[in-house]
Amino acid sequence: MSLLVKGGTVVGPTGTQVADVLVEGERIVALLDPQYAGPVQADEVIDATGKYVVPGGIDAHTHMELPFGGTAASDTFDTGTRAAAFGGTTTIIDFAVQRTGEVVQDGLAAWHAKAEGNCHVDYAFHMILGGVDADALKAMDQLVADEGITSFKLFMAYPGVFYSDDGQILRAMQTARENGAMIMMHAENGIAIDVLVQQALARGETDPIHHGLTRPTALEAEATNRAIALAEVAQDCPLYIVHLSASQALEHVAAARDDGRNVFAETCPQYLYLTLEDQLGAPGFEGAKWVCSTPLRSKHESHARDLWKGLRSNDLAIVSTDHCPFCFKDQKELGRGDFSKIPNGIGGVEHRVDLVYQGVVDGQLSLERWVETIATTPARMFGLYPRKGVIQPGADGDLVVYNPNGTTRISAETHHMNLDHSAYEGFEVKGRVDTVISRGTVIVADGNYHGRKGHGRYLRRGLSSYLV
Amino acid sequence: MSLLVKGGTVVGPTGTQVADVLVEGERIVALLDPQYAGPVQADEVIDATGKYVVPGGIDAHTHMELPFGGTAASDTFDTGTRAAAFGGTTTIIDFAVQRTGEVVQDGLAAWHAKAEGNCHVDYAFHMILGGVDADALKAMDQLVADEGITSFKLFMAYPGVFYSDDGQILRAMQTARENGAMIMMHAENGIAIDVLVQQALARGETDPIHHGLTRPTALEAEATNRAIALAEVAQDCPLYIVHLSASQALEHVAAARDDGRNVFAETCPQYLYLTLEDQLGAPGFEGAKWVCSTPLRSKHESHARDLWKGLRSNDLAIVSTDHCPFCFKDQKELGRGDFSKIPNGIGGVEHRVDLVYQGVVDGQLSLERWVETIATTPARMFGLYPRKGVIQPGADGDLVVYNPNGTTRISAETHHMNLDHSAYEGFEVKGRVDTVISRGTVIVADGNYHGRKGHGRYLRRGLSSYLV
Amino acid sequence: MSLLVKGGTVVGPTGTQVADVLVEGERIVALLDPQYAGPVQADEVIDATGKYVVPGGIDAHTHMELPFGGTAASDTFDTGTRAAAFGGTTTIIDFAVQRTGEVVQDGLAAWHAKAEGNCHVDYAFHMILGGVDADALKAMDQLVADEGITSFKLFMAYPGVFYSDDGQILRAMQTARENGAMIMMHAENGIAIDVLVQQALARGETDPIHHGLTRPTALEAEATNRAIALAEVAQDCPLYIVHLSASQALEHVAAARDDGRNVFAETCPQYLYLTLEDQLGAPGFEGAKWVCSTPLRSKHESHARDLWKGLRSNDLAIVSTDHCPFCFKDQKELGRGDFSKIPNGIGGVEHRVDLVYQGVVDGQLSLERWVETIATTPARMFGLYPRKGVIQPGADGDLVVYNPNGTTRISAETHHMNLDHSAYEGFEVKGRVDTVISRGTVIVADGNYHGRKGHGRYLRRGLSSYLV
Amino acid sequence: MSLLVKGGTVVGPTGTQVADVLVEGERIVALLDPQYAGPVQADEVIDATGKYVVPGGIDAHTHMELPFGGTAASDTFDTGTRAAAFGGTTTIIDFAVQRTGEVVQDGLAAWHAKAEGNCHVDYAFHMILGGVDADALKAMDQLVADEGITSFKLFMAYPGVFYSDDGQILRAMQTARENGAMIMMHAENGIAIDVLVQQALARGETDPIHHGLTRPTALEAEATNRAIALAEVAQDCPLYIVHLSASQALEHVAAARDDGRNVFAETCPQYLYLTLEDQLGAPGFEGAKWVCSTPLRSKHESHARDLWKGLRSNDLAIVSTDHCPFCFKDQKELGRGDFSKIPNGIGGVEHRVDLVYQGVVDGQLSLERWVETIATTPARMFGLYPRKGVIQPGADGDLVVYNPNGTTRISAETHHMNLDHSAYEGFEVKGRVDTVISRGTVIVADGNYHGRKGHGRYLRRGLSSYLV
Ligand SMILES: [Zn+2]
Ligand SMILES: [Zn+2]
Ligand SMILES: [Zn+2]
Ligand SMILES: [Zn+2]
Ligand SMILES: [Zn+2]
Ligand SMILES: [Zn+2]
Ligand SMILES: [Zn+2]
Ligand SMILES: [Zn+2]
């Protein structure tokens, strides 16, 4: 079975080129000059003339079915990866979870059980370590060696659930430095935040906006700096800051990078487009839809502008979604009268490719950086390259034909995520996913779904190839 | 009883002036032009011609009789304040101690019991909070209101003894922000350090130098930054970093100060003159004499140079000693075979005025900054001004006549501290304390002692007058 | 003749103290405890109870009778120093001028001729070097050695009139490094600015606001950085940036100071209170009143806030006025239709002490910094200390009794400068100059003038005592 | 005519992949999976198994036959481009020259005359503007529109020859901002440097090392900052700093880049490997071989380490050679007794690819960054992409087969440049150019030359595609 994507403008990390892409079976076998490619035969031909051909998107940060406070994220691996496919994302890296007191491998097994046979696109796992002890450190080595899991997320927040103290963080970083893994960090000073939260609640400040007000930027910046310092003490352990939202945190990342350190960061579409006042501060309890951590930041400061700048300068390497949807009804509503009980998370796995492309339209980002931040860099950062994230012979046939002249309207009424609202309700952005190909199979075409549950395979990842 | 110090060069924070100082009873009553002062009568006249007349030194950081690991600092308030007097220091601010689990007021009472009637020079107390809880927060208010204690020291190290977590620190800072007190911080990430210490010991690295190697500069800088961030969250609570030793920590302080923040720091003579390699790394167990925290830093980096620079630029406001002497025999020796058991501390209360004056001789510091860093700024910083730290009518008659042409040789054989060795053994510095006057009484003259135990009084301090 | 200022609160650079000040003849001879001072006799007694007693103000930057484009600054040394006296300023340092092509000593002689016998308060001179060549370099040495002129102003703007190229600047700095003088710098990239000015005029942009728009902050910051770099190449020649107005320039100064360099800066009241939009951008030609260089900055940026911060942190050492008044009628009007022809300058010598005190009222500055920035630091910076800028025996009897409960209204109708408008028209500030004493003589009391032309004497200055 | 490079490891900017490269005529027509490529036919097959296949190197900074002080650079376009070919460089961008007072187009014509028919590899031109006036500004537009010249070099040094003042620089930047061109800057404060040079010569300091000592890093950093500021005033005109050598200059570039600005920089192999002391300070007149501007920097500072770091972090985008060879005999010797008369320049066009690859061997750089800094980024930066700098269909068939197991010894005895010495004499580096292909033609194979004079064609360049 062969597939030829003809006449499109292939967007790579260094520029664009009109070229034909030939897929045989599941893999790309040739990139061809369109003139020369004339005689090439293929079972199926897709005409991409006037459109962009980009590597399938990789969302490096999702939480399908994540349990939270008695409920769970509303997207299963089935619904979530199908929605991802609609949005041009052909790989997700989800977070398997070890909570404090649990066995790492059990957590991983549970995640495999949720995902296996249910995914529409390929998937891999990071491992959340909620309890760093001697067993967990050993488990890190084992997961790297045997399970294709080469990145571990730690939390500087959520004591009793996910929190690691600085000694645990240091030990995990030392282990990662040895086995080559990446440490991912939820960088918020949760110990101090919990004081602010309790004080706010005690003052009767229970509305969703107080979720944001009790998580000041200074405490994201502080934790970011601390993580960078601990990684330095761990002999420059590779470090990846997740869901960076604040200008001040970005400054710490930029300084470390200017210093030549292996420090990286991602941001998420919500921080590029949504704000503390306009969304999280929506009247009444409406703001609960936008409760996530790190929180949305104030529009009176320059966060969004600075985050776009960071994406241009590569001080921010990746845009992930931190997809963690909770329905408003029955889920978000658990926090009525107490913002600290609102399940944390925003659903966005379906819209990332479009929302970042809007940055291209707005002059915030080049086409090349669009492709890097949504596909190529996630692949390199997390050991999926050159199988994913690039259009070249040998790579998987994961391709998106993207129509720059199309338009995407975002609404809960039309999206495919299992979510009763949309964080981006009413957004209309330029550009539109036209055709999505996963390992040589067309799974989305013209807005119609041709994929199937179980098509997606687990990806054993190698070590990061992005280190300096 | 009146005393006239005649013809000396009075050194103030903005310059020098030949002037006569008239003391009546315990207080200065006049500053006089020498010509005009001719007819002024006094019971006693000291000729200070050709010498400097400076405010009595204030050592804002001492630990008399501090218990540590089953032993206690070898200087009592008696021996320690007498030694201080010899060195031109007429006020000390010692640290009363609340350990984790103890009642703050009990700790204070214990400290009063040690000091009362035993001091040769005036004394005041900071309060160490080793356990921030609701009672301790209330105690802070009470000590500020009733006890003349307006500064509280917290530790980011020593879990189980002194350590406060970031939530406790934040609460104490919020309380200080309300009642006007200063938070003093031991800024080292002790949680991470303890991991490094255990790992070093497990590798058999037990010599004194490993005390320094397991307390890397990155973890002092990190903690310094964290303390500054928490103070920002506490609405710019005044913050004072104690015993700053590393260039990288200084950079964080300087940045906060450039930002207009109420962030201050002190360093100590040991960081200006002694190094990881030359002292702490002395052969065998000798280095134990120089085990203190923060540790001595590497001579291959630019710490001492940067600290002098910080003293010039006022990014470092004060030179204190962190005087905490332990004899080599029986005390330091407790740590043979395990550096982590070596009592931490260096004795220096006697030599601070001379060691900083040597910076003037070396061109590191102006005369004005000498006086500011050893006397005027401690007084302003810690609520003793204008009673102490300045030569003007109304101030206490605490004066030092300092001979710039004298020489001071430092040796355990000649010093007055109760200590069987000297951290500065063999140092010979230019300048010499000539006469020391405490509240109008000459207590040291020409190297002879004229003071008495019990002369020193407890000083109730007001709030800092140094805030911006 | 003796004078006793009784019961006032003396404000010094480190704090306040109630004390009596005794002046005999022209000099202070004693500072006395009020109780002890009881029996002291004086010919005249001023009751300062409830008021501040501060050293007479020193305005380190004035331009009396400065020629500019065919006209001259409207205040003579007579009118200008009388106005200064009314505002509590008892010393001015004016700029003698050498223009390109002129002989330095001739310029100085001309300035002496203007000033001699005409001044109401003491005066000194800086020397503007508009043409650095071998003769001028020699003249620098001579002025330092013989004339009591120890500071030289260079211009990075105004080619053909005052401009020095970087080679000339370097040579002058090397000379200053040798003879101990201070280099003062007008730091704007005038070569680039002149291009912008010509382009604006060519586009028909002739209104006063274009004076500001063609002098962007980036070109003040650039020149400031360049001056600092050249001073570094000149072996750390002392450097003083005049009339600093932009946050970005302040950052360069702060960085150099963090580095321990002898780099200093002043700002002026106009940059603390007035803005590009509200004053310079006033309708029609009105804005001409506020044409000065560096220009007023945008209120949409944080310049004023940052300048106050710099004054707190001492990254800005001094507030001077750059007093250079031109009447609106016939003078400012020369630039109707061409902003580049508007005489540059703002009159303010009368209001500096009050306008900075307003910063104290507003919580921007401590009392101590008020006194430092208006009196003590100018004296130290420019070699007038300890004769001026301090209240202590031996200093000149220059005193201001300042009433914190008074109010000052600023208006052209009531001010004493020879100026037909006021840059601060309608300002009402808290605090009021009560009594002004110059060298032991009361020259202003209760708003009435008791001084006389010719009372003011030329001050030969020494080298700066403010270097680190 | 077709050529198949088989089995090599193609190194691209994001990673490596084993792939076959098919060239038809002068252009690449396909990238193929080796297995799939089996049946592909080609006239010539090169086995690259075990070797790297990289895009032909692009040296963006050469000076063939550059006149200097009565002599001229010793390599003609013939000898220089042949040497380049030997070293794996298949494109050079040379600097056509307008001197002060000359007509831009005349200078360009002269350069075409030198190059046409003489080049062994493709070539393009930047234009040096030595005299920015109205005609030159118009010429900039014309060269961009008609001549394929889209980058213009200005000098902040060399008054009377190449120097532009800041007004000229600003005007040229404004013009570039309009027409899309890149401004390249020789960033040294030549006005101040000339003072230092004259002073050194006057002191009798005539040896080559004084060339370096009179060009301090502070004056490179200053000029770099100034160029960045002027580019900001010119509405963010794209700016490219040439031959950056000093850490302090790099810091300014990094800060601008962190700020999201279109500021770029190159360094050169000499700054990565050679030092002020070891080469420029060689005994006697030997150091003349290493006289170049910016000069070699001190080994006692961290310049080389920082430059490698900058290459990793992309704060340095490109490694060029600034190839400008002068023979020791008769040329460098012109400066005996006066270092300022030594022709400035180092010959290195032949060794750049190898010297940067040594950075890969030493762990300083990834393979990807090697290819970016020597080929891909120069192509993107200077409007040659996607014709040059990338291996993909449509690109020119410029390929280098590079043997990582080979060794390259550098010596004047074996190099192909017309130069009687080598700046890298005796260097032995890992890695070796195996085969060089220019537009589909093998021109170097196994150390033998198969190319010909005249094969190289002039490349009209487009605008930079590297802007953010
Ligand atoms: Zn998280
Ligand atoms: Zn997450
Ligand atoms: Zn500072
Ligand atoms: Zn201590
Ligand atoms: Zn000026
Ligand atoms: Zn002026
Ligand atoms: Zn950067
Ligand atoms: Zn060049």
Side-chain angles (χ1 to χ4, degrees), chain A residues 323-342:
Chain A
H323 178 75
C324 194
F326 292 97
C327 288
F328 190 77
K329 191 158 160 36
D330 295 339
Q331 294 197 305
K332 290 286 185 182
E333 286 180 335
L334 292 169
R336 277 198 193 273
D338 179 351
F339 69 82
S340 74
K341 297 218 163 64
I342 301 169

Side-chain angles (χ1 to χ4, degrees), chain A residues 253-259 313-315, chain D residues 253-259 313-315:
Chain A
V253 170
R257 293 179 56 73
D258 284 350
D259 230 36
S313 71
N314 202 29
D315 287 327
Chain D
V253 170
R257 293 180 56 74
D258 284 351
D259 228 38
S313 71
N314 202 29
D315 287 326

Side-chain angles (χ1 to χ4, degrees), chain C residues 206-284:
Chain C
T206 60
D207 282 348
I209 197 170
H210 293 288
H211 172 76
L213 297 176
T214 55
R215 307 182 93 84
T217 56
L219 292 179
E220 182 187 352
E222 183 284 307
T224 302
N225 180 71
R226 182 152 37 106
I228 292 169
L230 291 167
E232 180 186 347
V233 174
Q235 310 295 324
D236 197 19
C237 164
L239 174 66
Y240 178 93
I241 306 292
V242 297
H243 51 54
L244 189 149
S245 69
S247 304
Q248 297 89 336
L250 178 57
E251 283 176 31
H252 286 296
V253 170
R257 293 179 56 75
D258 284 350
D259 230 37
R261 302 270 311 279
N262 274 312
V263 172
F264 313 101
E266 69 177 17
T267 191
C268 309
Q270 49 268 38
Y271 308 116
L272 296 169
Y273 288 103
L274 312 175
T275 68
L276 177 80
E277 293 84 1
D278 289 339
Q279 277 81 25
L280 189 55

Side-chain angles (χ1 to χ4, degrees), chain C residues 153 155 186 242-243 293:
Chain C
K153 185 176 176 189
F155 287 77
H186 180 122
V242 297
H243 51 54
S293 299

